Each structure stands twice: as structure tokens, then as C-alpha cells.
Amino acid sequence: MRINFKNLTVQVLLAIVVGILIGQFFPSFGVQLKVLGDIFVKLIKMIIAPIVFFTIVIGFANMGDMKKIGRIGGKALIYFEVITTFAMAIGIAIMYLVKPGAGMDISNVGKNAADVAKYAKQAAETPHGFVDFVVSVIPDSVVGALAKGDMLPVLFFSVLFGLAMAGMGDKAKPVTAFFEKMNEIFFRLVGIIMRISPFAAGGAMAYTIGKFGIGSLFSLGKMMGSVYITMFLFVVIVLGAVAKIYGFSIFNLLKYIKEEILLVLGTSSSESALPRLMQRLEKYGCSKSVVGLVVPTGYSFNLDGTSIYLSMAALFIAQAYGIELSWIQILTVLGVLMLTSKGAAGVTGSGFITLAATLAAVPGNVIPIEGMAILLGVDRFMSEARAITNLIGNSVATVVIAKSEKQFGIEEPTAEAEASGLFSGESGKLAGASEA
């Protein structure tokens, strides 16, 4: 079988392998290559805000029906809350079944106190109360929100702007046409940036292995194994069942977004694939309006992987310290997580900051925040798992909402979809993705 080295999937996969080898045999050089991943993520973050703005506004303007917009938004938020709560519950159940933290040696926790203090300080500086959360959604200025790239304020302004345009009807068509051209330019820019994604994936992986060593993959292996298995089961069983109910195959969808999954694997950031994912889901069959509303919102409210990790990490620390939590305390942790997990950024390290905020917010400091030091060595590796799960969860959510709103379907198969094996026969229907 001939390997096509021009294929982005092949390039990213090879880059990850090379990155692992560099990190293992030339660790000092591997650590220096972190800059490649940082540059790529910054380039992507540079264009996320305008892409989200244009996509949402265009979608709302073309949809026109204000009731439909409200229905889609409401349906998406309900779906997000149900699925993320279910994800956290699964994480807690697995922790009580496997108990990876039981009997853990915590004698070296004090050595990483300074690192834990850094995350605790960042968590303390981030508002996590309900009122603070609501206030933080409203930007101080439109320009400031777009400049900072804060997802929730950008979403808030985009939705208001889109609603205003939708209410204007035909009068807004010239502005809509202009925005469509601007959106096309930004997606062309995404294509240019994606050309360096293999270097970013390889550099980020070289840094991870060079910094922490392959050995860190095996230490705390029981916890890592529990997290990976839980997320795998969540994707295959829970999201697979949701996909089946709505008449499409989770495996076909995973095959279609494999390049985005590999990119997230290399960079440990789900944000790195956001613009490209929106494009791919439109080609998969979801309407632009649904993609524009559900995907960006999901990056703040539908973090399945982060929810699973946070619930498991909190209980892991409790188990390591030999703390038996009552059901009331477990439900309290779950309730706090339902708030703190919302709005977490899709970049490496954000999950750790959110974990610090969660532990600090639980009444009585039931779970010692300094226990986070136990997870410092392997958090980077688990961040890849949660970022990939977040990506897949948002992809499934978008297809589900699109199909439930009857805004799913492709009249003619695209070349990319055909190449991915998503079409069967001559009907032009997606294999495993027909209407329920």
C-alpha cells in the first residue's frame, strides 16, 4: 500500500512519532521545540474570534426565524448540560470501581508545592461564582472581546449582533454578503496556517516527552489508564448510543474528523482544531447556522473530556489522602464542577487551573488542594485525552442538533467526504448518517 506523504493526516502522524523520538533521545532539544506548538496555537487563536463572529452572524441572518434561533440555542444548552453531567457521573463511578488513588505514596507532594501554588493563584484570580460567571460573559467592549479572544464574550456579542441582523430581514443582505466574503477569507487563512500543523504537533510532542520523559507515562499509570478507558467508553458507548439514536455512525464521524483528532493529539489543545472542525462539520452535512452556534458554544459549555477528568482527579486526590467522601460531599463536588467546568479554555493547563478552583470551592476544603501535586507529572498526557474527547463530544452535539432541527443533509457528496468513505452506493446519502 502506497503512503501519500502529501496527506495532512500522514504528515501529522509522522511528526508526532518523530517528536516522541526527539523528546526521548534529545530531551534538551525537544524541550526547546515547544515554541513550534506555541506559535501554531497562537496563530489559530488569532483567527478564532473573527471566524466565530462571522459564522454565527451569517447563520442567524440566513436563518431569519427568531423562534428557530432560540429553539436551537435552548436545545443545545440542555443537551450540553445533560451530557456533561452524565460524563462527570461516569468518571465518579469508575473512580469508585477502580480506586486508582488508594494506597498512593504522597510523601513527595511537598516538593511540588510551588507549582501547585501557581495554579491555585491563577484559579483564585479567575471568577467562578455564578454571578461573576454571568457578569464575565458580557464584554467591557466589543473590540476588547475580539482582541482578547475570550470565547464567551465573543459568543454573547455575536449572538446579539446576529439577532439584530435577523430582525432586519432583507435590509441586512448587503452586510451578510460582505461577512460571507470575509468569512471565506478567514477560512482560506486557516488553510495556510494548517500547513505548519505537522511541525506544531511534532514540536509539542517532543516537548512533552523531553520535559516529562516516557517514564512519566508509566508512573501513576493506574490513574492514567482509568482516565483513558473512561473517555474511550464514554465516546464509544454513550456518544455512540446518542449517534445511533439520531441515525448516524460514531465511527464514520470519527473517521471523517481524524485529521482534527490527530492535530489535537499533537498539540494537546482542542482550540487548535476549532476553525477546521467547523468547516468539516459543514461538509459532513450540518447547516452553517447550526455549526456556527453549536460548535463555539460547545467549546465553553460542552467539555465532556474536561468534565470526566475533573471528577476523576478530585476523587483520585481524596483517595490518595485516604479521605472517605460521603454522598453529600460527592454531590457537592459534582455541583461545583457543573459550574467551574463551564467556560474552561481548550488549551493545555486550563483543566489543572479549573481543578484548583473546584477543590478550593468545595466547602470545608474537604479535598486538600496541595494534592494536585500528585498529578503534575502526568497532567500533560491526560490533557490530550480530554481535549480529544471535548472535540468528539462537540462534533456529535452539532450533528445531533442539526438532525433534530432537520438542518442536516448534503445534496451532492463532496470529494473530501467521498475520499473518507462516508458515502455508500449512488444515492448521495451519508453512510450511517441518514435521517432518523
Side-chain angles (χ1 to χ4, degrees), residues 270-303:
S270 55
E271 271 193 347
S272 63
L274 173 58
R276 173 81 180 234
L277 181 67
M278 294 173 72
Q279 227 175 3
R280 298 286 284 174
L281 289 173
E282 282 184 40
K283 290 177 180 176
Y284 187 69
C286 303
S287 69
K288 182 184 287 289
S289 55
V290 170
V291 170
L293 181 59
V294 177
V295 175
T297 309
Y299 263 66
S300 292
F301 290 93
N302 189 41
L303 302 174

Side-chain angles (χ1 to χ4, degrees), residues 116-376:
V116 173
K118 177 185 70 175
Y119 287 110
K121 182 181 178 182
Q122 286 181 269
E125 292 172 351
T126 305
H128 285 285
F130 178 75
V131 175
D132 290 329
F133 175 76
V134 172
V135 172
S136 68
V137 170
I138 305 172
D140 293 326
S141 71
V142 175
V143 176
L146 291 170
K148 291 179 181 177
D150 293 334
M151 187 63 74
L152 287 177
V154 170
L155 273 171
F156 180 80
F157 173 69
S158 301
V159 169
L160 285 183
F161 198 97
L163 288 171
M165 283 187 63
M168 290 178 64
D170 292 342
K171 293 180 181 178
K173 281 188 176 180
V175 180
T176 304
F178 173 71
F179 281 0
E180 285 175 344
K181 293 296 182 185
M182 289 295 294
N183 204 31
E184 186 178 338
I185 292 171
F186 272 99
F187 273 116
R188 284 184 177 272
L189 188 55
V190 170
I192 295 172
I193 295 173
M194 288 301 296
R195 292 177 185 175
I196 68 168
S197 60
F199 297 99
M205 189 59 72
Y207 163 77
T208 300
I209 302 300
K211 176 77 172 177
F212 302 107
I214 285 184
S216 60
L217 285 169
F218 302 101
S219 63
L220 298 173
K222 199 173 180 182
M223 173 59 179
M224 283 187 60
S226 298
V227 170
Y228 273 80
I229 289 171
T230 304
M231 293 189 184
F232 175 79
L233 292 175
F234 175 78
V235 170
V236 174
I237 297 176
V238 178
L239 295 183
V242 171
K244 188 173 180 63
I245 290 170
Y246 282 88
F248 66 100
S249 167
I250 185 69
F251 297 106
N252 279 341
L253 179 61
L254 294 179
K255 185 177 180 181
Y256 191 59
I257 61 171
K258 62 182 182 295
E259 290 181 1
E260 288 68 39
I261 292 173
L262 283 173
L263 181 60
V264 172
L265 174 65
T267 61
S268 294
S269 168
S270 55
E271 271 193 347
S272 63
L274 173 58
R276 173 81 180 234
L277 181 67
M278 294 173 72
Q279 227 175 3
R280 298 286 284 174
L281 289 173
E282 282 184 40
K283 290 177 180 176
Y284 187 69
C286 303
S287 69
K288 182 184 287 289
S289 55
V290 170
V291 170
L293 181 59
V294 177
V295 175
T297 309
Y299 263 66
S300 292
F301 290 93
N302 189 41
L303 302 174
D304 299 332
T306 302
S307 299
I308 290 172
Y309 170 75
L310 290 174
S311 62
M312 296 183 76
L315 289 189
F316 176 77
I317 295 170
Q319 290 174 0
Y321 277 85
I323 299 170
E324 287 290 336
L325 298 177
S326 67
W327 281 108
I328 297 297
Q329 290 172 324
I330 292 172
L331 290 174
T332 301
V333 171
L334 189 62
V336 172
L337 282 171
M338 288 173 68
L339 180 60
T340 56
S341 64
K342 302 297 184 285
V347 296
T348 302
S350 61
F352 223 54
I353 295 168
T354 307
L355 176 59
T358 301
L359 298 182
V362 176
N365 193 24
V366 179
I367 305 172
I369 195 169
E370 60 268 20
M372 288 172 51
I374 307 170
L375 295 169
L376 278 173

Side-chain angles (χ1 to χ4, degrees), residues 45-125:
K45 290 184 75 172
M46 173 183 73
I47 59 174
I48 283 178
I51 284 178
V52 167
F53 172 73
F54 288 130
T55 306
I56 289 177
V57 171
I58 292 167
F60 278 29
N62 289 334
M63 199 180 300
D65 188 347
M66 306 286 273
K67 290 182 179 179
K68 184 184 289 186
I69 294 170
R71 188 174 66 246
I72 291 174
K75 190 179 289 185
L77 289 176
I78 292 171
Y79 174 90
F80 294 160
E81 197 57 53
V82 170
I83 294 297
T84 52
T85 302
F86 202 77
M88 286 187 282
I90 290 175
I92 290 173
I94 293 293
M95 288 303 292
Y96 271 93
L97 183 66
V98 181
K99 294 186 177 179
M104 184 80 187
D105 180 11
I106 59 174
S107 58
N108 293 323
V109 167
K111 293 181 179 179
N112 294 314
D115 290 324
V116 173
K118 177 185 70 175
Y119 287 110
K121 182 181 178 182
Q122 286 181 269
E125 292 172 351

